[in-house]
């Protein structure tokens, strides 16, 4: 069963090449302790847009599940995958991959992923100071009806790193049965203290001077949220638990 959960997770979760972090010593002195005033109205509009995109995605998934043909096909394929005892059954694995690909390639999923990623890219936050990022993730998880807890990753070295922390999030999809396997999917949330100089992205360029998602953590968070949306559709057929970890202060 653990093999089954791991394979289904690996099919859904996208992978990026690792990115070396910027040494803390190279951060500008005035950036380490600076507190930027965010435009509250703009950020509320960002969260409203993301909430709307997540709501449309959730409703489209509900409609998909309500369709007897699509639901039966997807449910049967997923159930067969989990019940299969043959290691590396190519036919069943390919069938599952094709089903997930079909489920992921909808206009609602595309709009959701684009809206979420661009909102995060426009509002990069550093280390333990991630209120907008954390609130946005929680908003999406709530719309997708995925249970979660927050308050994780508190900063116990505020003398060295600014911010109280506690913006980490842990969510769960599946049975949450301690006797069944549990697979963790993780996404880092924080940005880097670098000025954005990316060309031709004026519509979603960083709004925070001296901060940018140069290492792709906005993409990592978005991919994990997309995986969460798909996994939520398969929850009833899942044997085990997928734990989603959104990690602050990776850099």
């Amino acid at each position: 069963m653990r093999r089954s959960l791991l394979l289904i997770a690996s099919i859904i979760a996208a992978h990026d090449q690792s990115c070396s972090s910027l040494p803390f010593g190279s951060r500008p002195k005035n950036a380490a302790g600076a507190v930027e005033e965010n435009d509250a109205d703009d950020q509320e509009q960002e969260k409203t847009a993301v909430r709307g995109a997540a709501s449309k995605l959730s409703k489209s998934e509900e409609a998909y599940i309500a369709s007897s043909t699509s639901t039966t096909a997807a449910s049967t394929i997923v159930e067969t995958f989990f019940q299969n005892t043959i290691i590396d059954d190519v036919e069943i694995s390919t069938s599952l991959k094709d089903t997930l690909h079909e489920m992921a390639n909808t206009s609602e999923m595309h709009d959701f992923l684009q809206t979420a990623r661009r909102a995060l890219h426009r509002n990069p936050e550093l280390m333990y100071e991630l209120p907008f990022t954390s609130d946005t993730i929680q908003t999406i998880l709530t719309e997708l009806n995925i249970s979660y807890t927050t308050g994780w990753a508190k900063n116990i070295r505020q003398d060295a790193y600014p911010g109280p922390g506690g913006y980490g999030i842990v969510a769960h999809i599946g049975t949450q049965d301690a006797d069944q396997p549990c697979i963790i999917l993780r996404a880092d949330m924080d940005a880097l203290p670098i000025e954005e100089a990316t060309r031709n992205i004026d519509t979603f360029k960083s709004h925070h001077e001296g901060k940018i998602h140069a290492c792709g953590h906005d993409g990592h968070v978005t991919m994990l949220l997309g995986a969460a949306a798909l996994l939520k559709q398969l929850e009833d057929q899942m044997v085990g638990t997928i734990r989603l970890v959104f990690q602050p202060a990776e850099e």
Side-chain angles (χ1 to χ4, degrees):
M1 288 303 178
R2 181 170 282 103
R3 179 193 67 85
S4 299
L5 270 181
L6 185 58
L7 182 53
I8 194 173
S10 67
I11 290 171
I12 294 176
H15 297 277
D16 270 1
Q17 293 182 346
S18 61
C19 174
S20 59
S21 59
L22 184 73
F24 291 113
S26 62
R27 177 185 292 187
K29 293 181 180 179
N30 64 340
V35 178
E36 295 187 358
E37 288 293 336
N38 296 322
D39 188 323
D41 290 338
D42 284 351
Q43 291 200 340
E44 281 304 314
Q45 290 177 10
E46 295 271 26
K47 282 188 277 191
T48 298
V50 170
R51 183 183 295 109
S55 177
K56 288 181 181 179
L57 175 61
S58 181
K59 289 177 181 177
S60 73
E61 291 178 341
E62 289 175 2
Y64 181 92
I65 293 172
S67 169
S68 58
T69 303
S70 59
T71 304
T72 302
S75 298
T76 301
I77 290 170
V78 174
E79 186 175 2
T80 300
F81 178 84
F82 276 107
Q83 291 181 350
N84 180 46
T85 58
I86 301 175
I87 302 297
D88 297 328
D89 189 310
V90 176
E91 183 178 353
I92 293 177
S93 296
T94 300
S95 180
L96 177 63
K97 182 176 69 174
D98 291 344
T99 299
L100 294 173
H101 186 269
E102 179 183 350
M103 294 166 66
N105 279 269
T106 64
S107 60
E108 292 85 2
M109 177 65 83
H110 175 273
D111 291 345
F112 163 70
L113 295 175
Q114 185 179 82
T115 301
R117 189 258 167 169
R118 291 186 174 186
L120 294 169
H121 193 87
R122 278 189 289 261
N123 296 275
E125 297 172 311
L126 306 180
M127 291 288 289
Y128 292 101
E129 302 175 298
L130 304 166
F132 174 83
T133 307
S134 186
D135 285 351
T136 300
I137 294 169
Q138 292 177 57
T139 295
I140 292 170
L141 292 174
T142 298
E143 287 294 334
L144 297 176
N145 196 31
I146 296 174
S147 62
Y148 64 88
T149 58
T150 188
W152 300 95
K154 293 182 179 178
N155 183 8
I156 60 173
R157 287 295 311 277
Q158 293 188 47
D159 59 319
Y161 311 115
Y167 293 111
I169 300 165
V170 177
H172 293 91
I173 300 171
T175 60
Q176 298 192 49
D177 186 335
D179 293 327
Q180 294 178 342
C182 176
I183 297 297
I184 296 176
L185 301 180
R186 180 189 66 89
D188 24 30
M189 303 159 62
D190 54 326
L192 285 166
I194 303 173
E195 188 70 27
E196 172 136 52
T198 312
R199 298 178 180 178
N200 302 320
I201 62 163
D202 291 344
T203 58
F204 59 99
K205 193 172 183 178
S206 172
H207 290 177
H208 297 198
E209 184 177 355
K211 299 178 183 179
I212 178 181
H213 271 295
C215 204
H217 294 183
D218 52 337
H220 296 175
V221 169
T222 302
M223 286 188 282
L224 186 52
L225 289 169
L230 288 182
L231 288 164
K232 185 63 179 179
Q233 292 187 61
L234 308 175
E235 188 171 35
D236 290 344
Q237 285 76 44
M238 195 178 296
V239 179
T241 302
I242 301 292
R243 178 172 296 162
L244 313 172
V245 176
F246 296 88
Q247 175 195 344
E250 189 274 340
E251 298 291 358

